Amino acid sequence: MSVTLSTLKAMRGKGEKIAVLTCYDASFARVLDAAGVDVLLVGDSLGMVVQGHASTLPVKLAEMVYHTRCVAAGAERSFVVADLPFGSYQPSPERAFSAAARLMAAGAHMVKMEGGAVMVDTVAFLTQRGIPVCAHLGLLPQSVNQLGGYRVQGREDEAAAQLIADARALEAAGAGLVVLEMVPAALAQAVTAALSIPTIGIGAGAGCSGQVLVLYDMLGLYPHAPKFSKNFLEGSNGIEAAARAYVAAVRSGSFPAAEHSF
């Protein structure tokens, strides 16, 4: 049966971990789908791993629509989430709806946007009009220049309290999932406990409802992988076996281990 948002919420309720990987094309979508990956995230990370840019900022909405259509064509069971790229949703809720509608028409089941309290009205606008939203807190790659680099967020008490407050506000506005990126494991666990919707961690410890990695990091394609990633292709008999190993590790709670957390 196909994975839906209701499936993911039920998994959170039962304490079953959710396995998420980024995906950018139909061929990988078929492999990851067959391996049991619950959610395929068409991430704007494609700007870095596919297009070769230094950040996600150059990615255009038309490119996200194209890659979403490709992934949706290859996925049969998995839930497809697509990133709203930089500049496509920040100006107004109406602009966000227009961009999100294009991604949904391309086959996305949900859109993802970065930002805390400033995005609450936009989340409400979209969800009230039938577009499911995944929020994204902690390290915000689209704000990397303002943040001063790819740094762990929420280490100070005030910042941690603000992140928890933002997560609660986004849930109240209708967000169905929250990605927590590069925050201390204890903070991610506190956010997860404060919400009734699933949290998906990346560099946020094992206390989240699920985990996500960039596909190419999971396959060990880069010599300088981030601290929170692991090469699952090493020791596996091919890409599908690596994806199955990743899913199994997330489900069992063995990934992420302490060395992958902050």
Side-chain angles (χ1 to χ4, degrees), residues 64-80:
M64 291 304 305
V65 170
Y66 169 80
H67 285 278
T68 298
R69 186 176 295 115
C70 292
V71 171
E76 294 184 6
R77 170 189 168 275
S78 303
F79 189 73
V80 177

Side-chain angles (χ1 to χ4, degrees), residues 9-251:
K9 290 180 177 178
M11 290 176 71
R12 185 222 190 272
K14 292 184 288 188
E16 297 177 2
K17 297 292 187 179
I18 300 164
V20 186
L21 284 170
T22 66
C23 188
Y24 315 104
D25 63 45
S27 295
F28 270 111
R30 291 189 188 96
V31 171
L32 302 184
D33 190 281
V37 177
D38 301 303
V39 180
L40 302 180
L41 171 60
V42 188
D44 60 359
S45 49
L46 67 87
M48 302 170 78
V49 301
V50 175
Q51 298 175 338
H53 298 300
S55 74
T56 65
L57 299 179
V59 177
K60 299 176 176 62
L61 178 60
E63 294 167 341
M64 291 304 305
V65 170
Y66 169 80
H67 285 278
T68 298
R69 186 176 295 115
C70 292
V71 171
E76 294 184 6
R77 170 189 168 275
S78 303
F79 189 73
V80 177
V81 179
D83 271 340
L84 285 162
F86 180 69
S88 70
Y89 62 97
Q90 291 92 342
S92 69
E94 290 79 9
R95 283 277 295 276
F97 181 87
S98 177
R102 290 183 62 187
L103 291 174
M104 298 294 286
H109 302 124
M110 171 180 264
V111 299
K112 181 168 75 65
M113 63 177 67
E114 299 179 11
V118 69
M119 286 294 121
V120 165
D121 289 346
T122 300
V123 170
F125 190 91
L126 266 59
T127 56
Q128 289 166 8
R129 288 160 177 79
I131 296 181
V133 174
C134 174
H136 185 144
L137 295 171
L139 175 70
L140 308 178
Q142 292 178 8
S143 302
V144 65
N145 292 317
Q146 185 179 31
L147 296 173
Y150 296 94
R151 300 175 178 176
V152 178
Q153 304 295 306
R155 288 195 188 275
E156 299 79 20
D157 290 345
E158 183 178 350
Q162 184 61 58
L163 193 146
I164 293 173
D166 286 351
R168 285 177 167 150
L170 290 161
E171 178 182 26
L177 299 174
V178 178
V179 167
L180 301 173
E181 181 168 359
M182 284 185 67
V183 300
L187 174 57
Q189 191 163 9
V191 173
T192 302
L195 304 180
S196 61
I197 59 175
T199 58
I200 308 298
I202 177 166
C208 296
S209 311
Q211 300 294 326
V212 59
L213 283 180
V214 171
L215 173 62
Y216 300 162
D217 287 338
M218 187 276 290
L219 295 175
L221 296 185
Y222 297 104
H224 303 293
K227 166 187 167 70
F228 52 75
S229 71
K230 179 180 177 180
N231 180 357
F232 284 87
L233 185 58
E234 191 174 72
S236 295
N237 184 24
I239 291 173
E240 183 173 336
R244 289 185 183 277
Y246 168 75
V247 171
V250 171
R251 294 261 198 272

